[in-house]
Amino acid sequence: MPLQFFSVNISSAIFNCSAPDLDSCPDESLPEFAFIGRSNVGKSSLLNLLAGKDLARVSPTPGFTKLINIFTMNQCWRLVDLPGYGFAQVARQDRSRFNQAVDEYLRHRTNLCLVFALLDSGLPPQAIDLEFVEWLARHAVPFVLVFTKTDKVSAATVQANITAFTDHIARWFEKSPAVFTCSAAARRGRPELLGVIDEAMTAIQSVPIQATPDGGSGSEAGAMTGRKARSRDTNKSRPDRSRPW
Ligand code: GDP
């Protein structure tokens, strides 16, 4: 594994698999960075911008992606495209199935380093997004907020919507999650978001490689360390309840 520049320069992006559930995901040997948001938030466009190629189909039909799509980047980390939530027109049975897969992935994937929770910067706080962020907090899932489509509205509106959202969620955290902005249309935010991944990868790399009791690899141990350390840092522990979205 190279010592630096894990992600800022993406030299390879290889489709790994489309997993219908956690059991179908590949082994946990590489750190994973997951992207999720309400359908139509601009996730596919952002992933294509980050990868520098057409990773996910930019879909004219919201909710197209129902599987966990996994890509191996630079041979050393994985980009995970999680199904969008809150798409009312998906049949009820399908909805519960993909929500279950996301629920399990977010709660049990030990090599999950960080979730990028995408929010539309042109909208005031949406109930479903607030519920999702509260769920992330309750389950101590490490995440950052990414406000998309900043080209669509004025900078003042973007700022007002970000402030309204972060004010609303502040009481759920001892330390507020980091906030980023981006626009796939204006090609803004790429270095900042890839920089977050680079920083996390550098931190994982700095964790000494240790033999695990079951003979597992040190990189997995590092990924788990990153997940636990970050969530302990930012999230208050909260009582469990079933996922709201
Ligand atoms: P997904 O459903 O979250 O994957 O969203 P898509 O990436 O498919 O985008 C949904 C719609 O928003 C499409 O019509 C895109 O062209 C549009 N879109 C995505 N990103 C941006 C952006 O940064 N700015 C603007 N103005 N439109 C965007």
Side-chain angles (χ1 to χ4, degrees):
M1 193 180 289
L3 283 173
Q4 54 184 345
F5 304 125
F6 294 104
S7 52
V8 171
N9 296 313
I10 291 186
S11 54
S12 71
I14 296 166
F15 174 72
N16 208 303
C17 70
S18 288
D21 52 35
L22 182 60
D23 286 345
S24 310
C25 289
D27 66 44
E28 298 185 328
S29 59
L30 292 179
E32 291 179 351
F33 297 86
F35 291 78
I36 188 167
R38 208 162 33 81
S39 301
N40 218 31
V41 72
K43 180 174 53 113
S44 305
S45 307
L46 177 62
L47 294 184
N48 292 343
L49 175 72
L50 294 181
K53 61 155 92 169
D54 191 1
L55 265 197
R57 192 175 84 113
V58 180
S59 169
T61 312
F64 177 77
T65 312
K66 295 176 199 166
L67 301 165
I68 297 175
N69 292 315
I70 303 179
F71 303 84
T72 299
M73 314 298 283
N74 289 1
Q75 301 180 330
C76 64
W77 61 278
R78 295 197 194 114
L79 185 156
V80 179
D81 179 7
L82 291 172
Y85 54 80
F87 181 56
Q89 285 158 287
V90 176
R92 187 150 193 86
Q93 195 187 353
D94 280 349
R95 260 172 84 185
S96 58
R97 201 183 309 133
F98 79 67
N99 285 344
Q100 175 76 17
V102 172
D103 175 312
E104 285 183 6
Y105 176 87
L106 292 175
R107 284 193 299 131
H108 301 304
R109 190 74 167 160
T110 59
N111 57 330
L112 171 62
C113 284
L114 190 65
V115 173
F116 292 81
L118 309 188
L119 304 158
D120 190 329
S121 69
L123 300 175
Q126 303 289 294
I128 193 160
D129 292 328
L130 291 166
E131 286 171 8
F132 179 66
V133 166
E134 188 187 10
W135 186 94
L136 290 174
R138 196 177 325 113
H139 292 279
V141 179
F143 72 98
V144 296
L145 298 174
V146 182
F147 287 85
T148 63
K149 306 189 189 181
T150 55
D151 64 286
K152 258 184 109 170
V153 291
S154 70
T157 302
V158 167
Q159 196 46 57
N161 289 335
I162 291 175
T163 302
F165 197 93
T166 52
D167 282 355
H168 191 105
I169 68 170
R171 64 183 184 275
W172 302 332
F173 302 92
E174 281 160 13
K175 186 179 163 201
S176 298
V179 173
F180 296 87
T181 56
C182 69
S183 162
R187 304 188 64 79
R188 289 199 293 254
R190 185 176 189 270
E192 292 81 3
L193 295 175
L194 291 181
V196 171
I197 295 172
D198 208 56
E199 207 176 291
M201 289 296 295
T202 304
I204 290 166
Q205 177 74 19
S206 69
V207 174
I209 294 181
Q210 294 167 352
T212 54
D214 61 357
S217 74
S219 63
E220 186 176 330
M224 286 183 70
T225 304
R227 176 180 186 152
K228 283 180 182 163
R230 190 171 180 116
S231 59
R232 200 172 41 239
D233 200 29
T234 56
N235 302 347
K236 287 177 184 171
S237 70
R238 303 182 60 82
D240 196 5
R241 85 174 148 88
S242 61
R243 61 186 183 279
W245 77 99

